[in-house]
Amino acid sequence: MLADDPLGARRESPDDLAPYRAALERLADDPNQHLVVAVREGRVVGTLQLSLDPGFSRRGATRSIIEGVRIHTDERGSGLGTQLIEWAIGESRRQDCQLVQLASDTSRVDAHRFYERLGFTASHVGFKLQL
Amino acid sequence: MLADDPLGARRESPDDLAPYRAALERLADDPNQHLVVAVREGRVVGTLQLSLDPGFSRRGATRSIIEGVRIHTDERGSGLGTQLIEWAIGESRRQDCQLVQLASDTSRVDAHRFYERLGFTASHVGFKLQL
């Protein structure tokens, strides 16, 4: 599902699962990381990663970061994306975060409208540097 | 220094240090968090927070996130900001990150040019939701 995406197709390797298994172990060992997998009738239909990020600025605010949001093509428009993001916002509140943030590729225009409908503000420029 | 900033002035509380002390404890307890403080002649002149964020997408890539970059007004243009960001990039490589990312408020136009000079690409829209 990560690879079934215009951007993911270029950067995932569904034929080699070893790096993903190693990543799952790193996530399981870190209490600030939550990987959510939505399953319908035995099939994975959505994923979302929520990271808690304790910080020093904004009066020592802890923020949460939403990443890796993917919805199966068959499930688009079903409200599953909204459910996943609303879960992430609720969990962030339960964990006393003051801020939820995410960065979305500039090409994902539909996703931007989706996040704005859910109350997010496009207030920042997201910079990346590949190593 | 966090409050001596057009955005920070509205959201920091230099007269009440208790939330910052609590935040320092959370950062010290988390091996994925690094808070860097630059000191010149006994005076704090710069800060930067580097968070390591293990992930599942991009073949299980770990990314690093730069936050809370602040340079004392007396030190602007001295190259200290470049030094701090270059340290963060080097540390991210040492920790086997595949990506460094940061989000900068759309109003910080000078900062955006600065990050682009250092090799970052403004490829994403950064969304925030206050809780």
Side-chain angles (χ1 to χ4, degrees):
Chain A
M1 206 167 60
L2 287 172
D4 181 18
D5 173 271
L7 297 173
R10 299 201 304 266
R11 58 196 188 202
E12 305 294 346
S13 66
D15 298 333
D16 176 14
L17 295 179
Y20 298 97
R21 290 202 185 95
L24 271 186
E25 277 181 36
R26 285 193 292 274
L27 292 171
D29 288 346
D30 187 336
N32 282 336
Q33 297 289 346
H34 305 277
L35 185 64
V36 182
V37 179
V39 178
R40 197 189 298 280
E41 295 172 4
R43 200 175 61 149
V44 172
V45 289
T47 67
L48 178 150
Q49 184 181 338
L50 184 69
S51 307
L52 301 182
D53 186 33
F56 192 68
S57 52
R58 298 173 183 249
R59 308 185 74 240
T62 293
R63 63 186 74 196
S64 67
I65 300 170
I66 293 174
E67 287 166 63
V69 180
R70 296 292 183 279
I71 305 293
H72 195 287
T73 44
D74 297 351
E75 292 276 336
R76 305 238 170 111
S78 72
L80 176 61
T82 301
Q83 259 184 295
L84 284 178
I85 300 293
E86 285 179 347
W87 174 85
I89 294 170
E91 182 65 20
S92 301
R93 280 190 214 278
R94 281 187 288 278
Q95 303 273 351
D96 290 327
C97 295
Q98 282 84 50
L99 188 72
V100 186
Q101 72 180 52
L102 62 90
S104 179
D105 193 280
T106 50
S107 68
R108 298 195 197 270
V109 180
D110 289 349
H112 302 171
R113 279 194 289 263
F114 167 74
Y115 291 122
E116 286 179 325
R117 277 201 303 276
L118 289 169
F120 286 83
T121 307
S123 54
H124 283 61
V125 180
F127 289 88
K128 303 220 177 191
L129 173 71
Q130 301 281 346
L131 296 184
Chain B
M1 205 167 62
L2 287 171
D4 182 20
D5 174 270
L7 297 173
R10 298 202 304 268
R11 57 196 189 202
E12 304 294 346
S13 66
D15 299 332
D16 175 15
L17 296 179
Y20 298 97
R21 289 201 186 98
L24 271 186
E25 278 181 37
R26 285 193 293 275
L27 291 171
D29 288 346
D30 187 335
N32 282 336
Q33 297 290 346
H34 305 277
L35 186 63
V36 182
V37 178
V39 178
R40 196 188 298 280
E41 293 172 7
R43 198 174 63 147
V44 172
V45 291
T47 67
L48 179 150
Q49 183 181 338
L50 184 69
S51 307
L52 301 182
D53 185 33
F56 192 68
S57 52
R58 296 172 183 250
R59 306 185 77 238
T62 292
R63 62 186 75 195
S64 68
I65 301 171
I66 294 175
E67 288 165 62
V69 180
R70 296 290 183 280
I71 304 294
H72 196 287
T73 45
D74 297 351
E75 291 276 338
R76 303 236 171 112
S78 72
L80 176 61
T82 301
Q83 259 184 296
L84 284 177
I85 299 292
E86 285 179 347
W87 174 85
I89 294 170
E91 182 64 20
S92 302
R93 278 190 215 278
R94 280 187 289 278
Q95 304 273 352
D96 291 326
C97 296
Q98 282 85 50
L99 188 72
V100 186
Q101 71 180 54
L102 62 91
S104 178
D105 193 280
T106 50
S107 67
R108 298 194 196 272
V109 180
D110 288 349
H112 302 172
R113 278 194 289 262
F114 167 73
Y115 291 122
E116 285 178 326
R117 275 200 305 275
L118 288 169
F120 286 83
T121 306
S123 54
H124 283 62
V125 180
F127 289 88
K128 302 222 176 191
L129 173 70
Q130 300 281 345
L131 296 183

